[in-house]
Amino acid sequence: MEPESPRSKKPTKPLGKKNPSKLPSSRICINLSDCKYSVHREVCKELGWRVIRNDEFNFFCDIIWNDAAVNQDILGTLKPFQKLNHFPGIFTIARKNFLAFHLKKMAKEFPTFYNFFPETFCVPADRSNLIRFAETCRPNQPFIVKPEASSQGKGIFLVRKIDDIPSGDPYVVQRYIDKPMLIDGLKFDLRVYILITSVTPLTMYMYHEGLGRFATENYTAPSQKNLSPMCQHLTNYAINKGSSKFSVDKDPLKADSGHKRSLKSVWHSLEEMGFSSEKIIDQIKKIAIKTLCSIQPILSHIYNSCQPEDITGGMCFEVLGLDIIIDESGKPFLLEVNHAPSFNTDTPFDNQVKSQLLRDLFKLLDVTIERRNAIQAQYKQKLEERISQRISKNIVGGNREADRKLYRSKILEHAANNSGGFSLIYSGHENTCEPYNSFMSYAQKMHLIQTGVLSEKAEDKNRQSSKAPLVGARPEKENRPLDNLLRKQLSMCQAEQKLATKAQKEKINHSVKRLSLPKQLSLPLKALFSPEPAQKVEKKEVKPCIVNIGMF
């Protein structure tokens, strides 16, 4: 079943009387009532914007920024020029269990392409599969156990035996990468920032700078004696900042030492170790795109349902924080996706990177008075045409697709000239090495099957009739033990059902024969008890008949 959307923290309610009746005509307005970070307010005031605080239901603004996920009802109430900093439905990869669900779904069909995340199991549902996988691993293979909906390293622990995992609580269990890349003897991971500006079609950017988060204890391979020291195995800043060994580089322009470093310094260290940073960056870009391809149909469906007449395609945007770890061979793996990455500015480097990211973000999104006025004028013109021509369908009418293409070309042109530290990594084009359109098509089919719109049986027939299978996709005639086992169990259930139906028919016929009822009543009685649909009975006059109730 498709995972359900979590309930919003607070329900939406209509605008109060205290709210202003219109937007400021000469200033951009942003609502930061549900944003706890000071860096947003500082950057917005620096840009000369009006900041709304302590009034989360005031929608007379150009941008609404919430730290948490938003309810899709908010998107449906927005005007075409307004922007929301979350796509409703993004939780489908932001939660660890949902991320595992979608990536495993894609890996089953495209095993060659979706091999960028550690083997993952959601217990207790996948406990039997976890046990079977552990039997194929080397003895005492370590696993990392995480609560399915937590952050900042809370509740994470390591095990070497499956029996040590609590059986009743929901956890996400991953194969622990026990041979990670080390710099200065320390384990580290990367926080990479990805920007999504549209899901119809999918448009993504990657920021040139990020964070390298280091553990504070020298790394040694997990053993029964060293599973507990989390500052050795976990790189979360929230965990390691409490260590007495934690340190940071006070020069934000360098940030090449300590336990929180710049992404550029990490690339420089890898180059000195003989690895190609350009190759690793390219792999991380592909990881980000393929991860979003797995849920693009869901995001697009929700967006178009909330704003069916929107021609901009950009009323929402999303800043994601991808947690990437690199193994000793230089291969990056995706660990988590954060839809609300931290904008805390505890260190000088944090403040520099995150404030500049926000400046570049607002510039790329073209949040200006001119853009607002142009969109309002365009929709006003369409509305007048609708009234004058008595068009009853929608404002943009039959030219909606043409208007979308024209507006999208303007958006991409503006972004190319005002990207700042962002670089475009995907805009709907097809890559010959990575068939992204095929990924999204398959994700769309799975979404329709899970929602009951498309039957899985019909989809299997269509798949068998296809002539040219995709290179890297799952072979159709592959001998898959799990699928064969499921087929055997299904055939056994069908055979048992046929035997039960046959025995039930014989029992009913025997009962009717024993009752010796009039012929006129025999057929209706059979139809009443028989599981098969009753045949049509011609209406005939039935003479009154007295039946002994006790016989029933």
Side-chain angles (χ1 to χ4, degrees):
M1 295 292 294
E2 193 69 31
E4 297 180 357
S5 173
R7 295 181 180 178
S8 59
K9 182 176 62 175
K10 295 180 181 179
T12 58
K13 62 182 180 182
L15 298 174
K17 295 182 180 179
K18 296 182 179 180
N19 293 329
S21 59
K22 61 180 182 179
L23 279 166
S25 59
S26 59
R27 296 176 67 189
I28 292 296
C29 187
I30 184 171
N31 192 326
L32 298 177
S33 299
D34 274 344
C35 179
K36 66 181 180 180
Y37 301 110
S38 60
V39 65
H40 292 76
R41 294 188 289 273
E42 294 171 359
V43 170
C44 291
K45 289 181 179 180
E46 176 186 319
L47 296 173
W49 293 2
R50 177 174 176 263
V51 177
I52 299 176
R53 299 178 62 185
N54 304 320
D55 192 2
E56 60 181 306
F57 299 110
N58 186 346
F59 294 160
F60 288 106
C61 55
D62 296 275
I63 299 178
I64 300 175
W65 189 293
N66 290 332
D67 291 338
V70 297
N71 192 297
Q72 64 189 43
D73 295 339
I74 297 180
L75 176 59
T77 62
L78 298 186
K79 303 297 182 183
F81 65 88
Q82 294 179 297
K83 289 183 179 292
L84 184 64
N85 76 312
H86 289 297
F87 283 94
I90 196 66
F91 71 94
T92 49
I93 57 171
R95 285 176 59 115
K96 299 178 182 66
N97 54 339
F98 292 163
L99 176 65
F101 170 80
H102 289 289
L103 292 185
K104 290 174 70 174
K105 170 191 67 179
M106 300 298 291
K108 186 177 181 181
E109 183 69 14
F110 306 102
T112 304
F113 296 101
Y114 279 80
N115 59 353
F116 54 81
F117 62 102
E119 290 80 358
T120 308
F121 305 88
C122 298
V123 296
D126 285 346
R127 195 176 187 88
S128 58
N129 294 331
L130 173 61
I131 294 174
R132 284 196 292 268
F133 173 76
E135 292 174 350
T136 63
C137 299
R138 60 180 176 81
N140 296 322
Q141 165 67 42
F143 291 89
I144 185 167
V145 185
K146 310 175 183 179
E148 60 182 22
S150 67
S151 60
Q152 299 181 344
K154 298 175 182 177
I156 299 178
F157 58 95
L158 271 64
V159 298
R160 300 179 74 194
K161 298 179 180 179
I162 304 303
D163 294 337
D164 294 338
I165 302 174
S167 57
D169 300 327
Y171 286 104
V172 174
V173 183
Q174 286 184 323
R175 176 181 63 84
Y176 183 75
I177 300 178
D178 54 352
K179 294 182 179 180
M181 180 79 70
L182 303 179
I183 295 179
D184 298 335
L186 301 175
K187 181 181 177 181
F188 68 94
D189 73 349
L190 307 176
R191 169 58 59 87
V192 180
Y193 294 106
I194 299 295
L195 170 64
I196 308 171
T197 58
S198 173
V199 293
T200 54
L202 183 63
T203 308
M204 301 173 60
Y205 297 82
M206 179 176 171
Y207 200 58
H208 74 289
E209 189 57 279
L211 304 176
R213 305 179 301 182
F214 286 71
T216 50
E217 299 286 345
N218 288 337
Y219 179 80
T220 55
S223 63
Q224 195 61 36
K225 297 180 179 179
N226 68 349
L227 293 179
S228 299
M230 290 293 99
C231 291
Q232 179 185 137
H233 299 290
L234 299 185
T235 58
N236 303 71
Y237 170 69
I239 292 178
N240 286 279
K241 70 178 181 179
S243 172
S244 58
K245 298 182 179 180
F246 182 80
S247 64
V248 294
D249 196 329
K250 295 182 179 181
D251 186 356
L253 299 178
K254 293 182 178 180
D256 56 358
S257 63
H259 300 95
K260 182 177 280 192
R261 309 181 188 181
S262 68
L263 204 55
K264 289 184 178 179
S265 70
V266 174
W267 300 141
H268 180 70
S269 298
L270 294 180
E271 290 284 352
E272 291 182 342
M273 296 166 62
F275 293 94
S276 171
S277 60
E278 184 178 350
K279 181 179 178 181
I280 297 175
I281 293 173
D282 184 63
Q283 290 176 325
I284 293 175
K285 291 179 181 179
K286 293 178 180 179
I287 288 174
I289 300 171
K290 286 185 279 190
T291 301
L292 266 298
C293 284
S294 67
I295 63 163
Q296 184 273 341
I298 299 175
L299 300 181
S300 178
H301 171 73
I302 297 175
Y303 183 90
N304 292 328
S305 299
C306 296
Q307 290 289 342
E309 298 181 3
D310 173 52
I311 64 171
T312 67
M315 292 180 65
C316 295
F317 64 94
E318 191 86 38
V319 178
L320 297 175
L322 270 60
D323 291 346
I324 303 290
I325 191 171
I326 305 174
D327 68 6
E328 63 178 3
S329 66
K331 179 181 179 179
F333 287 87
L334 175 67
L335 297 180
E336 296 178 15
V337 177
N338 299 274
H339 75 291
S342 172
F343 276 87
N344 278 324
T345 54
D346 298 343
T347 67
F349 179 69
D350 275 317
N351 185 65
Q352 179 191 351
V353 171
K354 295 171 184 178
S355 60
Q356 188 60 44
L357 185 149
L358 290 175
R359 294 187 193 96
D360 293 342
L361 168 65
F362 294 142
K363 188 176 181 181
L364 185 147
L365 294 177
D366 191 22
V367 185
T368 60
I369 297 295
E370 293 77 15
R371 171 185 168 275
R372 180 212 294 176
N373 294 337
I375 295 177
Q376 286 181 319
Q378 182 179 9
Y379 269 77
K380 184 179 180 180
Q381 179 183 358
K382 295 293 182 181
L383 179 60
E384 292 175 352
E385 292 177 0
R386 175 184 176 182
I387 296 174
S388 61
Q389 300 176 9
R390 296 182 180 180
I391 300 174
S392 59
K393 291 185 178 180
N394 51 51
I395 295 177
V396 290
N399 297 325
R400 179 168 57 185
E401 193 61 33
D403 291 341
R404 279 182 174 176
K405 290 182 179 179
L406 178 61
Y407 193 88
R408 175 170 173 76
S409 63
K410 293 181 179 179
I411 291 177
L412 293 176
E413 182 180 358
H414 170 84
N417 298 325
N418 299 273
S419 58
F422 288 98
S423 59
L424 181 66
I425 61 175
Y426 187 74
S427 61
H429 60 275
E430 184 63 49
N431 190 316
T432 55
C433 299
E434 304 287 339
Y436 299 123
N437 289 340
S438 298
F439 301 155
M440 287 183 278
S441 297
Y442 179 74
Q444 172 72 8
K445 293 176 183 178
M446 291 296 101
H447 175 58
L448 295 177
I449 290 174
Q450 290 154 11
T451 53
V453 177
L454 183 66
S455 67
E456 192 168 2
K457 186 175 182 180
E459 177 56 28
D460 288 339
K461 288 183 179 180
N462 294 336
R463 185 184 299 163
Q464 292 174 3
S465 62
S466 60
K467 296 181 180 180
L470 179 66
V471 177
R474 178 187 63 180
E476 293 300 329
K477 296 184 179 180
E478 181 183 1
N479 183 18
R480 290 171 290 160
L482 182 59
D483 286 359
N484 292 337
L485 178 61
L486 293 175
R487 291 193 189 96
K488 289 180 181 179
Q489 292 178 349
L490 180 60
S491 61
M492 290 174 63
C493 292
Q494 292 174 344
E496 291 176 359
Q497 187 177 5
K498 289 181 180 179
L499 291 175
T501 304
K502 184 177 180 182
Q504 188 177 9
K505 286 181 180 179
E506 293 178 354
K507 185 176 181 180
I508 292 172
N509 292 335
H510 177 71
S511 300
V512 173
K513 186 176 180 181
R514 182 173 59 84
L515 289 172
S516 300
L517 295 175
K519 294 181 179 180
Q520 292 89 341
L521 291 180
S522 298
L523 185 57
L525 189 63
K526 288 182 180 180
L528 180 63
F529 287 96
S530 175
E532 296 183 351
Q535 300 177 357
K536 294 184 178 180
V537 184
E538 297 181 359
K539 294 184 179 180
K540 296 181 180 180
E541 294 184 1
V542 181
K543 296 180 180 181
C545 177
I546 300 175
V547 181
N548 187 359
I549 301 299
M551 299 179 65
F552 289 87

